[in-house]
Amino acid sequence: MSEAHSKFSSGIPHQAELRLLRKDGTYRWFLFRYNPLRDEQGRLRRWYVAAADIEDRKQAEQRLQIENVALREEVDKASMFEQIVGTSPVLRSVLSRVSKVAPTDSGVLITGETGTGKELVARAIHKLSRRSLRAFVSVNCAAVPRDLIASELFGHEKGAFTGATQRRIGRFELAEGGTIFLDEVGELPPETQIALLRVLQEREYERVGGAGSIRTDVRVIAAKNRDLEAAIAAGTFRSDLYYRLNVFPIVVPPLRERREDIPLLVEYFIDRFARQAGKSFHVLNKGSLDLLQSYPWPGNIRELQNVVERSVIVCESGTFAVDESWLSRQPPAKEPNRGTDLFKRLPSEEKAAIETALRESGGRVYGPSGAAAKLGMPRSTMESKIRLLKINKNRFKAMGSSNDS
């Protein structure tokens, strides 16, 4: 009222939004516009007032505000510990390390099998850091073509290569002041590894096709599930980059090592997917829970999530149950020890073992009957060994074809 009185006294045009009670007992918002009328000497004679009903607009603004608050809450939940469900000692140890490293700017290398939730751990580190109000940018290095990964990370100038019709901002520029998460960092090609090392050492980079350096303030968190040590030995990954990334290592345990968390995870996913499907479950079948706890989960939490979502879709009653046929009884991929034993052999013995496996698999490196599975090692490690030991895998394909015929 004081502000309105001041404007009236000064005789300047103004407007105000007011909520008024109508004679039918309802309140509505109005926009009032006040314009002064002056005589020839400039003296104020009267005010003209126009009122417009803006109730619908105010309601729309309120709905939008509520939606924005809900959206922010959802983003916060996706970025905090809410989706890292469990109370097992191994998980509490991981979260303790997250809490310790988050306030710093140290590089973090997160390791773990596929589906264990490495990106959730990276998001938690970002959320607890002083950079939490800035962007968190995630890049899966294995999903970007090798000849485009540099442009994806650092951007490019117009005309830098065929198809570069305009300047593009890279992920590091998008993450300025925040955090960038490089998943599957072991898949970076050598030239991009050099550029990333420069970012970590000198805090600067160049766009593809650019002439000047760009300063950057970004925290780098990396993750891998391939054997970087073997890649270093094979010459496909730089050791200096590895040590720069591996300042603070965090190992995310597989689900089979935290079985006591499975009931909590199952309840969490049931609630999440049941609400999405408009269903309600009052009872969790004990036989199904025992089955889920005894299963080795080679696909880890991602596989558990898929199984629960599928069960929510097909269950028609208020009892949640899981079809046993959905669970493969194959042991997890890391169970065999032959791969680790292979590293302890002489190079000549390694080469003989790999050639024998390739011969038995008809030259196939990966897959259930591939040489990597026969020796119990990751596909990437097998490929690195083949290159390092100069093994011609194509000749075993020819032998496999002749044997088949």
Side-chain angles (χ1 to χ4, degrees):
M1 293 298 294
S2 174
E3 182 179 353
H5 179 73
S6 173
K7 291 177 179 177
F8 275 116
S9 299
S10 61
I12 59 175
H14 60 282
Q15 63 183 34
E17 293 181 357
L18 301 175
R19 187 168 177 260
L20 302 181
L21 177 65
R22 301 200 320 181
K23 61 183 179 181
D24 62 357
T26 62
Y27 284 93
R28 293 185 73 84
W29 282 96
F30 291 86
L31 174 63
F32 289 86
R33 293 188 175 92
Y34 301 88
N35 290 288
L37 176 65
R38 300 179 183 275
D39 60 16
E40 294 177 356
Q41 287 74 38
R43 291 173 296 194
L44 182 64
R45 291 300 183 185
R46 68 179 62 185
W47 286 90
Y48 285 97
V49 184
D53 187 325
I54 58 170
E55 178 67 22
D56 292 341
R57 192 198 82 189
K58 295 295 284 189
Q59 287 189 3
E61 289 175 353
Q62 186 176 15
R63 284 195 302 270
L64 181 61
Q65 183 179 11
I66 293 172
E67 290 170 359
N68 285 339
V69 170
L71 179 60
R72 284 197 298 270
E73 291 175 350
E74 286 298 317
V75 170
D76 286 343
K77 287 181 180 180
S79 305
M80 284 291 284
F81 285 160
E82 280 86 343
Q83 286 193 349
I84 305 179
V85 178
T87 59
S88 61
V90 290
L91 183 61
R92 287 203 302 268
S93 176
V94 169
L95 298 184
S96 174
R97 292 178 66 80
V98 166
S99 299
K100 289 176 181 176
V101 76
T104 74
D105 263 345
S106 299
V108 180
L109 182 61
I110 305 172
T111 59
E113 297 176 12
T114 299
T116 51
K118 295 188 287 296
E119 182 169 345
L120 284 180
V121 172
R123 287 183 178 276
I125 294 172
H126 171 74
K127 188 62 180 179
L128 295 175
S129 74
R130 62 181 178 84
R131 299 173 178 270
S132 59
L133 297 180
R134 305 303 292 270
F136 176 91
V137 176
S138 177
V139 183
N140 188 327
C141 301
V144 182
R146 293 172 67 87
D147 55 346
L148 294 179
I149 186 65
S151 170
E152 183 74 15
L153 293 178
F154 308 118
H156 64 250
E157 297 289 351
K158 180 179 179 180
F161 51 84
T162 303
T165 56
Q166 60 185 5
R167 172 187 284 184
R168 178 183 178 182
I169 294 177
R171 297 300 185 93
F172 269 90
E173 285 184 79
L174 293 175
E176 180 63 25
T179 303
I180 189 167
F181 173 60
L182 302 178
D183 198 8
E184 303 293 353
V185 70
E187 302 299 327
L188 289 176
E191 58 276 11
T192 309
Q193 293 178 32
I194 297 173
L196 178 58
L197 182 62
R198 181 185 177 190
V199 170
L200 296 173
Q201 290 179 336
E202 303 173 21
R203 296 291 176 182
E204 63 181 27
Y205 62 90
E206 293 179 3
R207 292 194 187 100
V208 177
S213 297
I214 301 173
R215 297 292 298 175
T216 183
D217 175 27
V218 176
R219 183 181 194 173
V220 178
I221 300 177
K224 57 115 178 172
N225 61 21
R226 64 174 289 187
D227 189 348
L228 287 186
E229 291 84 355
I232 292 171
T236 59
F237 198 83
R238 297 179 63 95
S239 60
D240 47 1
L241 176 58
Y242 172 74
Y243 293 121
R244 281 282 181 177
L245 294 170
N246 196 32
V247 175
F248 194 92
I250 293 179
V251 180
V252 183
L255 187 55
R256 60 183 171 276
E257 292 181 7
R258 40 180 292 219
R259 295 183 186 276
E260 57 265 58
D261 290 336
I262 291 178
L264 288 174
L265 285 163
V266 171
E267 290 181 9
Y268 171 80
F269 287 132
I270 289 176
D271 177 67
R272 174 177 165 183
F273 294 123
R275 280 190 286 109
Q276 292 178 1
K279 295 184 177 182
S280 177
F281 297 96
H282 309 293
V283 180
L284 173 58
N285 183 279
K286 187 178 184 304
S288 292
L289 183 58
D290 292 341
L291 175 67
L292 296 176
Q293 286 190 283
S294 63
Y295 181 62
W297 296 109
N300 291 295
I301 297 175
R302 188 178 296 128
E303 184 183 6
L304 173 63
Q305 175 181 323
N306 293 343
V307 168
V308 173
E309 183 176 7
R310 190 186 314 170
S311 300
V312 167
I313 293 172
V314 302
C315 285
E316 299 294 341
S317 66
T319 301
F320 179 85
V322 174
D323 189 336
E324 185 174 359
S325 66
W326 293 347
L327 305 181
S328 168
R329 281 295 171 181
Q330 295 179 354
K334 69 168 287 184
E335 293 292 331
N337 294 320
R338 295 175 64 191
T340 54
D341 291 341
L342 189 64
F343 295 141
K344 301 176 183 178
R345 302 181 186 181
L346 295 172
S348 58
E349 295 175 336
E350 284 186 351
K351 184 174 183 179
I354 293 174
E355 288 181 339
T356 300
L358 286 169
R359 188 177 298 108
E360 293 174 355
S361 62
R364 286 188 296 272
V365 175
Y366 56 94
S369 59
K374 290 180 181 295
L375 294 176
M377 69 169 61
R379 169 190 173 181
S380 57
T381 304
M382 172 66 80
E383 294 279 11
S384 298
K385 289 284 184 182
I386 290 174
R387 287 193 296 270
L388 181 65
L389 298 172
K390 295 181 173 57
I391 298 173
N392 181 8
K393 61 184 178 183
N394 293 324
R395 65 188 180 92
F396 297 103
K397 293 179 182 179
M399 294 172 59
S401 299
S402 60
N403 291 337
D404 292 339
S405 60

